[in-house]
Amino acid sequence: MRIVSGRAGALTLELFDEEATLLENLLDQLIELLQSHSGTSLDPDPLFASLEIGGTDETPEDPALARLFPDAYSDAEEAAKFRRVTEQGLLNRKLQDATSVVAALAIDAPDRAGDNAAAHDPVRVTITAESLPEWVRTVSALRLAIAARLGIDSDEDHERALEDEDTHGTVLVFDWLAAIVDSLLRFESVLGDEPIE
C-alpha cells in the first residue's frame, strides 16, 4: 500500500489486489455490523426516522459496537438520554461513509477480477478533499472494531495479541489499517485545508 499525489486536489491510494480484497471484505463486515444495530428501517414513523432519532437506551452488548458508540456520560441515565437522540444519526453517518468507500473501490478498480486484470498491477483509488474525511473515519472505525474484538486498549494489549498465534494475523491487519490512516493524514495537505472531523 502506498499513497501518491495525483492531480491537483486528489490523491491516489495504491493497493495490491489482495489488499483491496481484504479492505472490501472488512468494509462489508463493518456495514453488516452497523446494519444489525440500525433501528431506522424498523421505525414505523417516517418523520421520527428522518430525524435520525431512535437510538437504544443501553450500551450495545457487542464489544465492537460498544467501542464505535461509547457512552457520552458516566451517569447511566444521562448516557441513555443522549444515546436515544444521537446514536441513529451517528450510525447512519458511519454507514454512509463505509458505503462510499466501498463504492470508490468498486469504481476505481472495476476489472481487477476479470481476465484483463494483471496480478502485479496495483488497484488505484482516487481520494479527493471531499472523500478524505469519510475514508479516515471509516478506516478508523474498522480499527476500533478490531481493537474491541481483540481486547486492545493499550500498547501492552497490542503486544500480547501480536505474540498470540491465534490473533497475530488480525493484529497485523489492525496495524496495516493504522498505516493507511497515517498515510492519508500525512498527505492531507495536498488536498487543502479541510479538517478531518
Side-chain angles (χ1 to χ4, degrees), residues 108-171:
D108 289 328
D111 192 42
R112 70 174 192 274
D115 294 335
N116 296 327
H120 61 277
D121 288 343
V123 175
R124 293 182 176 90
V125 183
T126 301
I127 301 175
T128 64
E130 292 75 26
S131 64
L132 178 65
E134 64 196 17
W135 270 86
V136 172
R137 289 191 300 258
T138 298
V139 178
S140 296
L142 285 172
R143 292 192 72 241
L144 286 173
I146 291 172
R149 291 277 193 257
L150 295 177
I152 295 178
D153 292 309
S154 65
D155 290 341
E156 290 77 15
D157 293 333
H158 179 275
E159 290 306 311
R160 170 192 49 75
L162 188 61
E163 292 171 3
D164 188 323
E165 185 178 326
D166 292 335
T167 55
H168 178 81
T170 308
V171 176

Side-chain angles (χ1 to χ4, degrees), residues 9 12 14 23 28 34 38 54 60 97 102 153 155 158 174 176 194:
T12 299
E14 291 188 346
L23 185 55
D28 287 343
L34 294 171
S38 177
D97 286 347
V102 169
D153 292 309
D155 290 341
H158 179 275
F174 176 81
W176 172 68
E194 203 169 296

